[in-house]
Amino acid sequence: MEFHLKENGMRVELPYGELDISGNDEFGYRPFQLMVASIAGCSASVFRKILEKQRTEIVDLQISAEVERNPEEANRIEKIVLHYVVKGRRLDPEKLYKNLEIARRNCSMVRSVENSITIEEQIDTVELS
């Protein structure tokens, strides 16, 4: 990856287009947003693959992230709570949590920050008929 200076931040060219990064959200994605998106995106991708292998029938998967930052330490990210909403048929919450634990162990982004950022996961299910 090559990053290039722009007037109010940095820019990187990626296969899906340009990504602008800035401490000011008027000029690009803020670095903490990209960090949280990487963790949530990785976790969700691995979780989805595991559910597919388990033949768990899901129709939709949504994640919201709550972020706690420490203003005393340069606004360091201290905690991320990932709240999953899984919609599907014949969902077993206990099995979902077990699969999410497997996903956690296999998500490179979660593993990269596991000793510095607390990651918590919660699951709500929506049973479809």
Side-chain angles (χ1 to χ4, degrees), residues 50-125:
I50 291 167
L51 294 176
E52 287 172 357
K53 286 181 182 180
Q54 298 275 332
R55 300 185 199 272
T56 300
E57 190 177 348
I58 64 167
V59 174
D60 193 21
L61 175 64
Q62 298 175 353
I63 303 174
S64 62
E66 295 176 35
V67 182
E68 287 183 21
R69 299 177 73 188
N70 185 340
E72 302 294 318
E73 292 188 30
N75 259 344
R76 176 187 181 288
I77 297 172
E78 297 208 335
K79 181 178 180 180
I80 300 172
V81 179
L82 300 176
H83 183 89
Y84 290 77
V85 177
V86 181
K87 297 179 183 177
R89 293 173 181 81
R90 297 176 296 284
L91 299 173
D92 177 352
E94 186 175 322
K95 186 176 178 182
L96 290 174
Y97 272 106
K98 286 180 182 177
N99 289 333
L100 189 55
E101 182 57 37
I102 295 168
R104 180 186 189 95
R105 289 193 308 264
N106 289 283
C107 170
S108 61
M109 296 297 98
V110 171
R111 296 300 304 267
S112 294
V113 301
E114 68 187 354
N115 294 318
S116 60
I117 299 174
T118 301
I119 309 281
E120 293 181 4
E121 295 119 342
Q122 304 167 347
I123 300 175
D124 282 333
T125 59

Side-chain angles (χ1 to χ4, degrees), residues 21-32:
I21 306 165
S22 176
N24 183 333
D25 57 9
E26 292 181 29
F27 301 106
Y29 294 98
R30 296 182 63 203
F32 93 91

Side-chain angles (χ1 to χ4, degrees), residues 4-11 20-23 27:
H4 301 277
L5 184 65
K6 60 179 214 152
E7 187 174 335
N8 293 298
M10 300 297 292
R11 175 172 287 152
D20 290 329
I21 306 165
S22 176
F27 301 106

